[in-house]
Amino acid sequence: MTLSDPNDPAYDAFMSLRFLQQACAADETAACGRLALIFFAGEGDVERDLASAANFATRACAGQDRDGCEVAEAVFTNGDSPQFDVAKAMRYRRINCDFGNRRSCIDLAHIYYTLNEYLPAEQVALGACKPADPESREVCAFGRQLQERRRKIEAQQQMQRQAALDARAQKEAIFNSLMGQRDYDKALYYALYHSRSVPQAEAATLAAARAGALQSIPDDHFHVLEFWFRSGPVANIAASQIASRKRSDDCGIFNCSNTPGASSRRWEAQNGRAGMGASSRSYTPSLPAYVPSSADVRQQVRNQYRQYHCGGAVNSSSPTCRR
């Protein structure tokens, strides 16, 4: 160590190599760290050798030698070096930051930020921040910036979550109100085209069946239920209703034509009038203003079905969805 100390009169970097290597081989980590420094800097008559520097640095750092850890970070973060290694660079930056190396902390925080790992970046920056130390000004400012950003995002996310909960609660309240009025036609329509809720659609259909009110449900709704439910009681109800209402000239609610108004024209031809049976009446004022009337259903159900229910969880290979 004396021979490798530039401040010692006996300094001789080349001569020190033999003794430092013997000491490093005997697990003297300080000797390994000094070797790493010598080969990294190319001191005295010793040529710079980054491969040897990396070798001795990793051995020294494993023994908690700070010189070795700093050399390891420098070697593995050098993009012009064959020893460049991103994973190792991050590892040794983290170690040096934990040792209190402010520059390593700042670099590590900026890397996390670049990788969109904002919380680790904030934690590293604030962990390295020493408010009483003027040299900490940069890392403190960066940490506070990230902290403010996180809090703003969390506040926005909380607002979005609350808005979603409020909207869900409102939809549930409207559906429950319709169910309380035993208006299963409107309740099922609301479940299918507004809340788009499978549990609500199931509840409205089963309630209508128990109350013997399935005739109040338009045919269109049963065709949608047929696609929503592939098995189970609702699927059986839908299939039964479609079969019982089908006429010889009925080609299916969605399969006659893709032209607008085809559903309404077929209903007029079959029933001798416009409308859909019990659902042809206009909705009463008790229904919220933004819920369309049953007349709108006849005109829009086909387009709404294709928009909301073709693809994803619904069978996209069905004839309707392939058109």
Side-chain angles (χ1 to χ4, degrees):
M1 298 295 285
T2 300
L3 291 172
S4 65
D5 184 358
N7 297 318
D8 194 285
Y11 171 68
D12 187 329
F14 187 80
M15 182 71 68
S16 71
L17 292 182
R18 187 181 75 172
F19 302 105
L20 289 173
Q21 290 177 15
Q22 289 177 350
C24 181
D27 295 327
E28 292 289 343
T29 56
C32 297
R34 185 63 61 86
L35 282 168
L37 286 170
I38 291 174
F39 282 110
F40 180 75
E43 296 180 3
D45 295 330
V46 181
E47 293 184 2
R48 194 178 194 216
D49 184 344
L50 294 183
S52 295
N55 175 48
F56 289 117
T58 52
R59 293 177 63 181
C61 192
Q64 301 297 302
D65 179 77
R66 295 188 62 170
D67 287 340
C69 294
E70 290 180 359
V71 171
E73 178 184 347
V75 170
F76 294 121
T77 58
N78 185 353
D80 297 328
S81 168
Q83 281 70 43
F84 175 69
D85 188 309
V86 172
K88 291 180 179 179
M90 290 290 287
R91 175 190 171 195
Y92 289 108
R93 270 204 174 102
R94 175 82 259 183
I95 291 173
N96 288 322
C97 179
D98 291 342
F99 272 141
N101 187 313
R102 187 179 293 104
R103 186 70 256 168
S104 296
C105 291
I106 293 173
D107 291 343
L108 184 63
H110 280 287
I111 290 172
Y112 278 136
Y113 181 83
T114 303
L115 296 174
N116 297 329
E117 295 287 346
Y118 300 117
L119 183 57
E122 175 192 334
Q123 293 170 337
V124 169
L126 291 181
C129 174
K130 302 293 185 287
D133 184 354
E135 295 185 3
S136 290
R137 187 178 297 111
E138 178 185 355
V139 72
C140 291
F142 187 51
R144 287 193 296 269
Q145 176 187 348
L146 291 173
Q147 187 180 62
E148 181 179 351
R149 176 189 179 279
R150 174 178 55 82
R151 288 174 176 173
K152 185 180 296 185
I153 291 175
E154 287 176 348
Q156 292 173 346
Q157 291 174 339
Q158 179 58 34
M159 290 176 60
Q160 291 171 352
R161 284 193 293 268
Q162 189 59 50
L165 289 173
D166 292 344
R168 188 179 304 131
Q170 182 183 27
K171 290 179 180 179
E172 194 69 25
I174 293 172
F175 176 76
N176 290 338
S177 174
L178 295 172
M179 289 289 286
Q181 299 169 30
R182 298 185 180 180
D183 196 336
Y184 305 116
D185 175 2
K186 296 178 187 177
L188 182 56
Y189 174 79
Y190 190 81
L192 292 175
Y193 301 108
H194 286 272
S195 60
R196 294 190 288 279
S197 167
V198 170
Q200 287 184 358
E202 182 177 25
T205 304
L206 296 179
R210 288 193 297 268
L214 290 175
Q215 289 305 313
S216 70
I217 307 297
D219 290 24
D220 288 359
H221 294 359
F222 289 114
H223 283 280
V224 176
L225 289 172
E226 184 182 34
F227 281 96
W228 277 35
F229 296 88
R230 294 301 178 178
S231 61
V234 175
N236 294 336
I237 292 172
S240 175
Q241 288 297 311
I242 291 171
S244 66
R245 300 181 187 193
K246 189 172 184 179
R247 299 184 178 186
S248 59
D249 60 347
D250 188 355
C251 56
I253 193 69
F254 299 117
N255 298 329
C256 291
S257 168
N258 281 328
T259 59
S263 175
S264 296
R265 288 195 297 272
R266 195 186 79 256
W267 275 101
E268 291 173 7
Q270 287 185 182
N271 298 288
R273 56 182 171 80
M276 295 194 299
S279 184
S280 63
R281 69 194 191 291
S282 297
Y283 282 168
T284 62
S286 62
L287 192 64
Y290 59 86
V291 178
S293 66
S294 58
D296 292 329
V297 176
R298 293 194 300 273
Q299 297 174 6
Q300 299 175 7
V301 63
R302 192 160 160 280
N303 289 335
Q304 290 174 327
Y305 172 78
R306 289 172 64 87
Q307 179 181 356
Y308 295 128
H309 307 300
C310 286
V314 181
N315 185 6
S316 58
S317 64
S318 66
T320 300
C321 297
R322 290 203 305 270
R323 290 177 183 270

